[in-house]
Amino acid sequence: MTPRKRTGRCAALLLTAALATGALTGCRPLADAASASCEDTGSRVDALKSYDVLDSRPPGTIVPQGFEDLQAGCWEDSGEAWLYADRTYVFPGDKAEVIQYYEAAAEREGWKPSKATRQALKENRSASLCFTRGKTDDATTLDVYFLTKEILDAEETKTGPDFDAGFGYRVAVNSTADGSAASCSD
C-alpha cells in the first residue's frame, strides 16, 4: 500500500495550529513560533500508537483491504510538525452508532469532548468528534471523523470494495511534535 499523503484533516489542523500559535506567541513571525521538526520523535509516535482507542471499534466494523496496518509517523508542513497514529475502518450501520461507541470509548480512556463535540452530541448530529486529555496531556487530541470523497482524493487514497459495505471513518490520535498545547478546532 502506498503511504497516504497527510492532507485534508491534517491541513485543517495545521491552519488551526498556525493561527493559535500566532495568538499564543504574541504574533511573533510564524517561522519563529513554528520551528518544530520530525527529528527524534520516534518515541512520541510510539506513545501515540499505544492508545487503546485506536484498536477499539463497534461490532460489525470492517478493517478495509489496504488499511490493515496502523498508520503512524510525523509530517511537516509550513515549518510545523505533527505526530499522528490512526486507523481507518468501514462501518455497515448508522453513523450514530459509531458516534455513540466512540463517545463512550473515549470517556473510558479519560478523553474529554471538545466544546463543538459536546454541542454536536447534545443536538444528536452526525459529526466528527474531537477529544482532548485536558491538563493530563494538553498536546494530544483524539479525532473520529467520517471519510469523504474529498478527503480520500486529497490523500490520493484508492478505496476497495470494502467501502461499498458502509461508510469509512478514521480514528486518529494527533500531537504536536514539540509537545506544545494542541486543541480541537472548535
Side-chain angles (χ1 to χ4, degrees):
M1 177 177 97
T2 307
R4 293 189 316 269
K5 291 188 177 182
R6 303 301 301 177
T7 56
R9 176 78 170 156
C10 296
L13 286 171
L14 254 180
L15 179 58
T16 302
L19 294 173
T21 300
L24 294 173
T25 60
C27 298
R28 288 190 315 179
L30 186 58
D32 292 345
S35 60
S37 74
C38 287
E39 289 183 39
D40 301 321
T41 58
S43 64
R44 293 201 58 232
V45 170
D46 288 342
L48 294 182
K49 292 174 6 181
S50 71
Y51 283 99
D52 291 338
V53 71
L54 291 167
D55 292 317
S56 180
R57 57 187 184 259
T61 299
I62 300 165
V63 178
Q65 184 176 1
F67 294 91
E68 296 87 357
D69 297 327
L70 172 73
Q71 299 292 310
C74 180
W75 54 271
E76 294 179 67
D77 191 12
S78 304
E80 186 69 32
W82 286 87
L83 310 178
Y84 67 93
D86 64 47
R87 289 217 183 258
T88 300
Y89 298 110
V90 172
F91 188 70
D94 189 291
K95 286 183 180 180
E97 292 176 66
V98 170
I99 290 169
Q100 290 170 350
Y101 180 86
Y102 284 103
E103 179 185 14
E107 185 179 320
R108 279 191 306 273
E109 287 192 26
W111 295 95
K112 295 169 182 36
S114 70
K115 181 179 176 184
T117 294
R118 283 191 310 271
Q119 188 64 30
L121 293 170
K122 181 178 164 184
E123 295 173 4
N124 201 23
R125 289 185 285 140
S126 290
S128 297
L129 306 174
C130 186
F131 302 88
T132 64
R133 302 285 289 185
K135 293 178 182 171
T136 332
D137 176 5
D138 65 357
T140 307
T141 61
L142 166 64
D143 292 298
V144 179
Y145 58 98
F146 301 106
L147 298 171
T148 63
K149 182 179 180 344
E150 292 78 19
I151 291 172
L152 295 169
D153 287 348
E155 294 175 353
E156 297 179 8
T157 300
K158 302 280 187 236
T159 60
D162 294 330
F163 279 81
D164 295 336
F167 58 88
Y169 72 94
R170 188 163 292 144
V171 179
V173 178
N174 304 293
S175 180
T176 55
D178 64 2
S180 61
S183 65
C184 297
S185 55
D186 285 341

